[in-house]
Amino acid sequence: MRRVIIDSDTAGDDTTAILMALKYFKVEGVTIVAGNVAFDQEVENALTTIETYNPGYKVPVYKGYQSPMIALPNAKHDTVEEIQGGNGMGDAVFPKPQQEPENDHAVDFIIDTIKANPGEIEILALAPLTNIAMAIKKAPEIAADIKHIWIMGGVNNRLGNMNVSAEYNFYVDPEAARIVLNASTAKTMVTWDASLDFGVMYEEDIEEIQALNTKGSKFFLDINMFVREFELAKRGIDGITCTDSLLVAVAAVPELMLQATEYYVDVETQGQFARGYNVVDWEEEFKHAPNCRVAERISSQGFKDQLVSLLAEIQ
């Protein structure tokens, strides 16, 4: 079984992505980074998700960076409780998890795990890339020993979801995104716009999930119906956007990618209006070698089948 580290700002669809990863991979650990909601809430959400998958199954959870690499003066990074709910779980209430987070720092865990298992560990990056970038900065030699980094982030020359240009994960920490994208590691990126094109669960899909009536389906709906209401009001999308779980589905079954191309991808870190925007160099204007595979077409039905099957199995 392939071995992964999950890097997450656990809220909303991160929970589904973690459930899916637990099914398809041997998860060495979950590392938490600043992102969607309050940091300690993200930690609790990750632990809750693991216990939902299997109450007797322990996966270590590590606390990482609680702010971006370069914090803006007198400013905290933007959390998105208006999208994910105040607790990042659609305001649904769950029992306090029994498991506690580990004492080691997430970055040290990433470095130590990669060094102990060169060429064997993949990273599922569901969040701002601060932890991963800091691991590469602290121990640059690990970049060559990470088997693959699967990145949910950025856009493929489309509109973002935080401002006109930027997707949330790259917007929160563009410096980290730039470091990771320019590392020597093999990478695949599933962008925000790909999730809109191929990863939305519409009314008929939601009804199919409701009909399962399992612990997994109830967990999914309790958390994600809040997101559905936001997307309908904000973007007119009457469905649940599955960004992180789409990435994990593609990582688990790469054949779901019907079209993917290697491009040079980089991130704007300076612009007043475009900070966090990423360029996908379709026409080789920058004369750089490709550094990232970008998923351009994904089997929407294949993804939905995977998701429904997962939720049906969690009893």
Side-chain angles (χ1 to χ4, degrees):
M1 182 174 278
R2 290 159 60 196
R3 302 166 65 189
V4 300
I5 294 170
I6 303 171
D7 191 64
S8 172
D9 54 346
T10 310
D13 188 51
D14 287 66
T15 62
T16 312
I18 291 172
L19 294 176
M20 191 172 288
L22 290 169
K23 174 180 177 178
Y24 285 100
F25 300 98
K26 183 180 187 299
V27 179
E28 301 292 328
V30 178
T31 54
I32 305 300
V33 70
N36 281 316
V37 294
F39 185 82
D40 286 340
Q41 184 67 62
E42 294 176 353
V43 175
E44 181 176 314
N45 294 347
L47 294 167
T48 296
T49 302
I50 293 165
E51 292 187 6
T52 297
Y53 181 77
N54 184 341
Y57 187 53
K58 180 179 178 182
V59 174
V61 173
Y62 298 86
K63 294 183 179 182
Y65 276 86
Q66 300 188 33
S67 62
M69 292 181 70
I70 300 175
L72 298 177
N74 303 315
K76 181 181 179 294
H77 80 276
D78 290 328
T79 55
V80 286
E81 287 86 355
E82 71 276 12
I83 302 174
Q84 311 288 7
N87 65 351
M89 305 287 266
D91 289 334
V93 178
F94 298 95
K96 288 287 184 182
Q98 298 300 305
Q99 183 182 331
E100 296 287 336
E102 306 300 310
N103 292 324
D104 294 343
H105 194 279
V107 166
D108 294 326
F109 166 73
I110 292 170
I111 293 170
D112 292 345
T113 304
I114 299 301
K115 284 186 172 182
N117 304 277
E120 296 183 19
I121 306 297
E122 301 173 64
I123 297 177
L124 304 176
L126 313 179
L129 292 163
T130 316
N131 284 341
I132 302 168
M134 292 301 288
I136 292 170
K137 289 284 286 183
K138 186 174 182 179
E141 65 275 14
I142 69 168
D145 289 331
I146 301 170
K147 184 177 180 181
H148 203 98
I149 303 177
W150 300 85
I151 300 169
M152 190 285 122
V155 292
N156 191 2
N157 294 323
R158 298 266 293 275
L159 296 179
N161 60 1
M162 282 303 290
N163 52 33
V164 172
S165 55
E167 177 276 331
Y168 179 77
N169 288 342
F170 285 13
Y171 171 85
V172 168
D173 199 338
E175 286 79 13
R178 169 170 277 186
I179 288 168
V180 174
L181 285 167
N182 285 289
S184 60
T185 313
K187 297 171 288 289
T188 298
M189 193 165 87
V190 172
T191 57
W192 161 247
D193 47 290
S195 71
L196 294 182
D197 291 341
F198 310 111
V200 178
M201 304 299 282
Y202 293 105
E203 178 63 31
E204 61 271 23
D205 308 307
I206 293 169
E207 289 177 357
E208 183 178 2
I209 291 171
Q210 288 172 327
L212 296 174
N213 196 31
T214 62
K215 182 172 73 170
S217 66
K218 292 174 183 175
F219 185 75
F220 175 85
L221 294 169
D222 284 347
I223 293 169
N224 288 295
M225 293 302 278
F226 195 102
V227 175
R228 181 188 187 184
E229 293 176 9
F230 174 86
E231 293 294 357
L232 182 60
K234 175 76 172 179
R235 278 179 271 271
I237 299 171
D238 189 11
I240 297 169
T241 47
C242 298
T243 52
D244 302 307
S245 53
L246 181 65
L247 171 82
V248 175
V250 165
V253 185
E255 293 78 13
L256 289 178
M257 284 189 292
L258 305 178
Q259 181 178 331
T261 305
E262 297 277 350
Y263 293 111
Y264 173 68
V265 183
D266 209 342
V267 183
E268 174 61 62
T269 59
Q270 301 297 322
Q272 179 181 356
F273 301 109
R275 178 173 161 82
Y277 174 70
N278 67 279
V279 173
V280 179
D281 190 8
W282 288 350
E283 298 180 347
E284 301 182 357
E285 293 288 340
F286 293 96
K287 310 303 181 188
H288 288 294
N291 60 356
C292 187
R293 179 174 61 173
V294 179
E296 296 174 302
R297 285 198 305 120
I298 299 168
S299 171
S300 181
Q301 189 59 53
F303 163 65
K304 291 176 181 181
D305 290 345
Q306 268 186 281
L307 179 56
V308 171
S309 174
L310 167 72
L311 299 177
E313 292 171 8
I314 302 173
Q315 299 289 335

